[in-house]
Amino acid sequence: MHILVFSKKVFLIFSVVIFFVFCFLIFKYFSLAVTTSSNVNPLQEKLNSLFHSNQKVAYLTFDDGPTKKATHKILDILKKENVKASFFVIGKYVKNHPELVKRAYEEGHYIANHTYDHNNSKLYSNKNTFIDEIKNTDAEISKAIGVENYTARIFRFPNGYASSSKKYKYEKKLSVSYLDELGYSYIDWNCLNKDSEKKYTKEQLLSNLKSTCKNKDTLVVLMHDTTDVSDSSSVLEDSILFLKNSGYIFKNFYDL
Ligand SMILES: [Zn+2]
C-alpha cells in the first residue's frame, strides 16, 4: 500500500515537471519566432530575394580566406576576366595577410564577414562572444584596407545558416537577432563546386558546379580561397567561362 502511494506521488511530481518543461519549450520557441520574423531589414530582404530572382546573375563568393596559396591567384583570374566577386573573410587570417584583403578591396571586390575564428563552439557560446567575433573581424578589415570603422554588413555563418546539420540550429536562429542589432544581414548559397568536401579534380569541380546551378537563374556560388581540400583557383577560369557562355552576368554585393 505504502509503495503504491509513494509511486503515485513520484508519478505526480514527474508529470508536473514534464508539464513545466513542455511549457518552457513552447514559450522559448514562440518568443524566438517573434524575434526572428518581425522587421526583416531591407538588405536582408534583398539578399533573400536573390534566390527567387529570374535574372541570370552569378555572385561568386569565396570563403575562409585570405590565404597565401589561393587568394592572389584568384584575384589575378578575376582581374583578367573582369569579374567582381565577394570574399567572406576570417578575421584571424585577415590579421595574418592584410595585404591580400587590401588588394581584393581595392580591386572592387566586396569584403564580407565570416567570423574571427570559424569555430562554432566558441561562436555560439554566448551573445557577447558572437558579437565580438563579428566586430573583431570588422576591426581587422578596417586596419587592412585603411577604412575607419568598416562594417561589412553581410555575414555568412560557418557551414551556412540553413545547413543540413541540426547542430547549432537554435543558436543560429537566435544569432539572427544579434546580427540585426549590429545592422548585419546574412546569406547562404544556392550553387557550389563542393571544393571543401573532398579532394576533387578540376573536371569534377566544374561538373559539381554545373549540376548544382542547373535550372537556376540567380546564382550565389560558394567557393573557397583556400587549398586545404580542393583548389578552386585551378578551375576558376573554366567556371567563369562556363557561366558566361550560359548567359550569366557577374555581380557582387555592392550591386545591392
Ligand atoms: Zn567557412
Side-chain angles (χ1 to χ4, degrees):
M1 191 63 187
H2 266 322
I3 291 171
L4 198 67
V5 172
F6 179 73
S7 58
K8 259 187 175 174
K9 253 186 180 172
V10 169
F11 178 74
L12 196 69
I13 292 169
F14 182 71
S15 307
V16 170
V17 169
I18 290 288
F19 175 75
F20 278 110
V21 168
F22 180 73
C23 288
F24 174 72
L25 288 176
I26 292 279
F27 172 74
K28 216 169 164 188
Y29 177 80
F30 279 108
S31 60
L32 187 62
V34 168
T35 340
T36 53
S37 68
S38 58
N39 304 324
V40 174
N41 74 56
L43 179 58
Q44 188 65 64
E45 272 179 5
K46 279 184 190 171
L47 291 171
N48 294 345
S49 72
L50 291 181
F51 298 115
H52 313 287
S53 162
N54 53 12
Q55 290 178 310
K56 287 198 97 173
V57 179
Y59 292 82
L60 300 185
T61 68
F62 297 91
D63 286 16
D64 294 1
T67 66
K68 272 205 145 148
K69 283 188 177 164
T71 311
H72 265 313
K73 207 172 154 196
I74 285 170
L75 288 171
D76 288 344
I77 297 166
L78 294 173
K79 195 174 192 177
K80 185 172 162 243
E81 296 295 330
N82 195 24
V83 169
K84 305 292 180 209
S86 303
F87 288 82
F88 285 86
V89 299
I90 294 177
K92 64 181 178 186
Y93 298 146
V94 179
K95 189 179 177 157
N96 292 343
H97 304 295
E99 73 289 352
L100 293 172
V101 178
K102 188 175 164 61
R103 179 182 167 197
Y105 178 74
E106 287 176 351
E107 291 181 4
H109 304 294
Y110 194 101
I111 311 298
N113 195 316
H114 194 43
T115 73
Y116 195 87
D117 284 305
H118 208 281
N119 176 337
N120 282 334
S121 60
K122 185 182 172 200
L123 180 65
Y124 301 119
S125 56
N126 61 64
K127 181 180 176 179
N128 287 342
T129 310
F130 185 91
I131 288 175
D132 284 349
E133 283 276 315
I134 291 185
K135 285 192 167 175
N136 293 341
T137 302
D138 276 345
E140 288 302 339
I141 301 170
S142 266
K143 272 192 262 171
I145 65 177
V147 172
E148 240 178 275
N149 301 320
Y150 180 84
T151 307
R153 295 192 66 210
I154 300 179
F155 177 72
R156 179 171 279 160
F157 287 88
N159 320 108
Y161 179 77
S163 143
S164 53
S165 158
K166 284 198 170 70
K167 223 175 171 193
Y168 301 114
K169 230 176 178 131
Y170 174 76
E171 287 81 357
K172 284 180 186 175
K173 260 191 173 178
L174 198 59
S175 307
V176 171
S177 61
Y178 310 154
L179 288 174
D180 218 36
E181 280 177 37
L182 292 167
Y184 256 86
S185 303
Y186 67 94
I187 188 157
D188 279 350
W189 55 87
N190 63 352
C191 170
L192 74 170
N193 65 7
K194 306 185 182 177
D195 61 352
S196 67
E197 290 179 18
K198 64 179 215 188
K199 188 96 190 145
Y200 282 115
T201 64
K202 273 176 72 170
E203 291 72 25
Q204 287 169 324
L205 287 170
L206 187 60
S207 140
N208 292 340
L209 177 85
K210 287 179 181 175
S211 60
T212 60
C213 75
K214 215 172 189 171
N215 303 322
K216 290 173 187 162
D217 291 323
T218 294
L219 304 175
V220 179
V221 185
L222 170 69
M223 288 182 276
H224 294 79
D225 54 330
T226 64
T227 50
D228 302 344
V229 190
S230 286
D231 181 6
S232 272
S233 68
S234 68
V235 75
L236 183 58
E237 223 166 327
D238 290 343
S239 305
I240 291 173
L241 197 69
F242 161 73
L243 291 168
K244 279 183 179 170
N245 289 339
S246 309
Y248 288 94
I249 59 158
F250 293 88
K251 287 188 179 181
N252 71 11
F253 298 130
Y254 280 126
D255 295 299
L256 298 175

